[in-house]
């Protein structure tokens, strides 16, 4: 039974086929491009059709449970969520992570549109579960799991949130130059940049960096994962280079509410900070800019 008092917001993203058509104007031109390179265009079509059907069924279910608003991921930064909105993300894990940081603590339901294709660590539900899960969530009968965020704040007044991780460095394949400080210790660095990970992102980019370093050093790789809700971040410096003017001892550690990580840029140009792999959405991190990386007091809430 639909309730006009409850607003439900469905967040989706374009499929790979949608992206190709936007690039090449027509499906036939997109098909020619993909098949010319020897890839299976049918896989793009199957994924697209499965996603369309999942979206259709999701809208049908949600429309019977409340006032439904549907938005594309691209509009998240400018969308005004209501205080009591219940949000549903239909897509891959990345869509869930990207949506969480715009919700201000509102609960989010992650739904897997294609369980045969996506593992879905952040997608505990399938479309058919929504008729049961949504009423329970509205009534407060579903548990939520907290997700810790990271925030990089600049001395220019700008800031950037991250659900998985932050990258601080140079946007080209040159060494990033900066001063790094933590817990009263400081060093001048020349490196390939710094990764600062949340618990949610600890099984991703951070894991790959730590694993590679362990293998090169002849050590058994250690687990990097830590709980999503833990109020700390873990940072790792990529390829630190010691020289006459740079050091390489402060290359990893924990960021806590009492001990933020501070970096000051020494790059004349091309210094950047981006979050969650979104390179196109970045903060400029050039000479004199100081970034303070800290644990955000507010957490995201993922319905489980």
């Amino acid at each position: 039974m639909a309730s006009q008092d409850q607003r439900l917001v469905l967040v989706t993203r374009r499929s790979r086929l949608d992206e190709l058509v936007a690039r090449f104007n027509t499906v036939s031109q997109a098909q020619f491009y993909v098949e010319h390179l020897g890839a299976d265009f049918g896989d793009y079509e199957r994924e697209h059709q499965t996603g369309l059907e999942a979206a259709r069924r999701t809208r049908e279910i949600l429309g019977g449970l409340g006032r439904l608003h549907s938005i594309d991921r691209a509009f998240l930064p400018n969308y005004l969520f209501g205080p009591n909105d219940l949000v549903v993300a239909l897509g891959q894990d990345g869509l869930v992570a990207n949506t969480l940081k715009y919700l201000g603590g509102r609960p989010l339901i992650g739904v897997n549109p294609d369980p045969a294709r996506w593992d879905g660590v952040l997608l505990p539900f399938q479309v058919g579960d929504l008729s049961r899960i949504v009423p329970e969530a509205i009534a407060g009968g579903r548990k939520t799991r907290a997700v810790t965020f990271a925030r990089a704040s600049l001395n220019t007044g700008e800031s950037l949130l991250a659900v998985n991780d932050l990258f601080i460095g140079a946007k080209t394949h040159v060494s990033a130059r900066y001063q790094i400080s933590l817990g009263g210790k400081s060093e001048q660095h020349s490196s390939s940049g710094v990764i600062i990970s949340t618990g949610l992102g600890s099984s991703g980019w951070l894991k790959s960096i730590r694993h590679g370093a362990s293998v090169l050093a002849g050590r058994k790789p250690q687990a990097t994962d830590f709980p999503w809700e833990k109020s700390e971040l873990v940072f790792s410096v990529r390829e630190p280079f010691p020289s006459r003017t740079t050091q390489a001892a402060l290359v990893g550690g924990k960021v806590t509410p009492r001990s933020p990580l501070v970096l000051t840029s020494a790059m004349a140009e091309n210094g950047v900070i981006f979050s969650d792999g979104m390179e196109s959405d970045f903060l400029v991190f050039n000479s004199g800019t100081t970034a303070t990386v800290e644990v955000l007091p507010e957490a995201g809430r993922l319905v489980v």
Side-chain angles (χ1 to χ4, degrees):
M1 191 77 177
S3 170
Q4 296 304 311
D5 296 327
Q6 179 62 54
R7 190 167 79 153
L8 305 172
V9 181
L10 174 63
V11 183
T12 58
R13 60 163 296 174
R14 297 195 298 182
S15 68
R16 292 185 300 163
L17 181 55
D18 287 328
E19 299 284 358
L20 283 171
V21 172
R23 179 180 174 188
F24 295 104
N25 298 318
T26 67
V27 172
S28 59
Q29 287 178 318
Q31 181 176 2
F32 173 80
Y33 172 79
V34 170
E35 293 182 343
H36 180 70
L37 295 176
D40 177 16
F41 187 73
D43 185 57
Y44 290 78
E45 293 180 306
R46 288 188 294 273
E47 177 191 336
H48 181 74
Q49 290 303 320
T50 300
L52 286 179
E53 176 59 18
R56 184 195 66 77
R57 291 175 55 214
T58 298
R59 291 189 178 95
E60 181 179 321
I61 294 171
L62 296 181
L65 298 172
R67 294 183 291 116
L68 177 60
H69 289 231
S70 296
I71 63 169
D72 183 85
R73 179 180 70 168
F75 296 101
L76 279 172
N78 300 313
Y79 189 79
L80 296 178
F81 290 96
N84 299 313
D85 286 353
L86 180 62
V87 185
V88 176
L90 178 70
Q92 300 174 46
D93 285 336
L95 178 65
V96 174
N98 190 238
T99 303
L100 270 174
K101 61 187 177 184
Y102 295 104
L103 298 186
R106 297 173 183 83
L108 174 65
I109 299 174
V111 180
N112 194 333
D114 193 351
R117 183 180 294 270
W118 313 119
D119 292 336
V121 175
L122 305 182
L123 308 169
F125 305 113
Q126 298 183 24
V127 174
D129 298 325
L130 287 171
S131 57
R132 172 177 56 90
I133 300 301
V134 169
E136 291 177 353
I138 293 172
R142 297 294 307 188
K143 293 182 179 179
T144 60
R145 186 172 179 183
V147 178
T148 297
F149 296 156
R151 177 172 61 194
S153 302
L154 305 186
N155 56 348
T156 61
E158 299 174 285
S159 64
L160 187 65
L161 296 185
V163 180
N164 289 316
D165 42 49
L166 289 161
F167 170 81
I168 303 180
K171 67 178 179 181
T172 58
H173 293 288
V174 298
S175 294
R177 301 295 296 264
Y178 53 88
Q179 176 180 287
I180 185 170
S181 301
L182 179 73
K185 298 180 180 179
S186 296
E187 288 186 352
Q188 297 294 329
H189 275 191
S190 173
S191 77
S192 295
V194 184
I195 301 298
I196 306 102
S197 177
T198 67
L200 187 62
S202 60
S203 60
W205 203 350
L206 177 71
K207 180 178 180 178
S208 70
I209 295 170
R210 294 284 180 87
H211 183 93
S214 295
V215 171
L216 287 172
R219 299 192 303 267
K220 182 180 179 180
Q222 300 296 311
T224 62
D225 302 19
F226 59 99
W228 302 351
E229 60 270 25
K230 194 167 187 178
S231 187
E232 70 177 34
L233 313 171
V234 172
F235 76 94
S236 186
V237 177
R238 303 168 66 216
E239 302 171 319
F241 183 75
S243 69
R244 293 181 178 178
T245 58
T246 58
Q247 299 81 49
L250 186 57
V251 295
K254 295 181 180 180
V255 180
T256 68
R258 292 186 177 184
S259 183
L261 183 69
V262 180
L263 293 92
T264 300
S265 177
M267 294 174 280
E269 58 183 1
N270 294 326
V272 296
I273 301 175
F274 62 80
S275 66
D276 303 327
M278 304 291 287
E279 294 185 51
S280 59
D281 182 17
F282 64 90
L283 299 179
V284 174
F285 185 61
N286 290 335
S287 296
T289 305
T290 295
T292 301
V293 179
E294 57 192 339
V295 179
L296 195 67
E298 301 82 17
R301 293 168 57 203
L302 189 64
V303 176
V304 295

